[in-house]
Amino acid sequence: MVNQKIAAKFKTFSTSLKCPLCQESLDLVQYKSLLCPNRHTYDISKHGYVNMLNHSAKSRYSKTLYKAREKIIMESELFDPLHDKISAVIHDYFAHSSTPSLMLDAGCGEGSHLKKILEKSGIGTMTGVGVDISKAGIEQAAKNYKNELWLVGDLAKSPLADQSFNMILNLFSPSNYREFKRILTSKGIIIKAVPRSGHLKEMRNSFYGSNENNLYKNDEVVSLFRKHFTLTDTIHVTDVRKMDESKLPYLVRMSPLSWDSNQAAIHSFIGRNSGHVTLDADILIGINK
Ligand SMILES: [Zn+2]
């Protein structure tokens, strides 16, 4: 049984979506499915998300990883400085707007970043839409957060209509700038977060030793970003937090860094770390050209 409130939300925003197979528009039928004129059908799942992938994507991003990610984002303060800065930017752009607006989180994972940022921005007229290729991530997001729209989808063949989003968030996640430009309104805002060299350095040092560097070089990212968008600001956020020891295993589990590390390195990080963890990122803010 599809939740009627969620179905109503999909009805309201169906014009912002499109069929990823034939690019036609979608309508909500019988309060349970999105249907295009060529009869491609996408059902609202019982958890309240819509799967718009036409194939199943293999991913190493598992339920365990997403549970850990939710725990760190929602219950530790690690990402608070990032959320605060981004929310302040969104507030500046949208606080005086009385018209409804849509914000996409492209590569939202289990949705906690989007949830936190929407809450902190406090823009009552803004609705969040999270898209990720991982069904495990979107299912968790839809179970936890009922005010947003959640879609399993491929950003390269996205189920989103032209010029339908006022804002795109793209946090620590790959970009598809051509798609982002297409779905953003003219003068729409994009906020992209990329890690800097100090990001989670305590964990990386434990896994790889302290000699590795150049892992995160943002010059190329910035220059590619500027090709597509007018870069209006770059905000550098750096912060060191003491993390409760009970949360460190979750930090390890949420990170793809741990995939290639042996168990001994992981245990040594959790065991000997003083509990300090560094957040170090650049936030790029751009306007659609
Ligand atoms: Zn279709």
Side-chain angles (χ1 to χ4, degrees), residues 71-91:
K71 187 110 181 154
I72 294 295
I73 296 173
M74 301 308 278
E75 295 177 26
S76 86
E77 295 171 339
L78 179 65
F79 289 104
D80 285 7
L82 183 86
H83 296 151
D84 289 344
K85 295 270 193 234
I86 291 175
S87 303
V89 172
I90 295 171
H91 192 266

Side-chain angles (χ1 to χ4, degrees), residues 58 95 106 111 191 201-202 218 225:
K58 277 220 162 76
I191 299 182
K201 66 179 180 194
E202 299 80 5
N218 289 336
F225 186 90

Side-chain angles (χ1 to χ4, degrees), residues 150-196:
W150 303 106
L151 303 169
V152 183
D154 184 351
L155 286 176
K157 297 180 200 110
S158 90
L160 308 169
D162 292 0
Q163 299 196 18
S164 47
F165 288 82
N166 308 84
M167 241 216 78
I168 295 177
L169 276 179
N170 182 223
L171 310 177
F172 306 116
S173 179
S175 301
N176 186 319
Y177 291 132
R178 199 201 282 188
E179 275 296 281
F180 290 176
K181 288 182 75 67
R182 181 185 66 75
I183 63 179
L184 265 183
T185 53
S186 136
K187 308 288 176 199
I189 315 293
I190 174 165
I191 299 182
K192 180 173 177 64
V194 283
R196 287 172 55 96

Side-chain angles (χ1 to χ4, degrees), residues 3 27 41 74 82 88 95 107 115 167 188 213 227 262 283:
N3 179 317
D27 270 328
T41 309
M74 301 308 278
L82 183 86
K115 180 71 190 171
M167 241 216 78
N213 48 29
K227 274 191 189 149
N262 61 44
I283 303 168

Side-chain angles (χ1 to χ4, degrees), residues 19 21-24 36 38 40 42:
C19 176
L21 277 177
C22 68
Q23 323 301 318
E24 295 286 347
C36 83
N38 296 315
H40 300 126
Y42 307 92

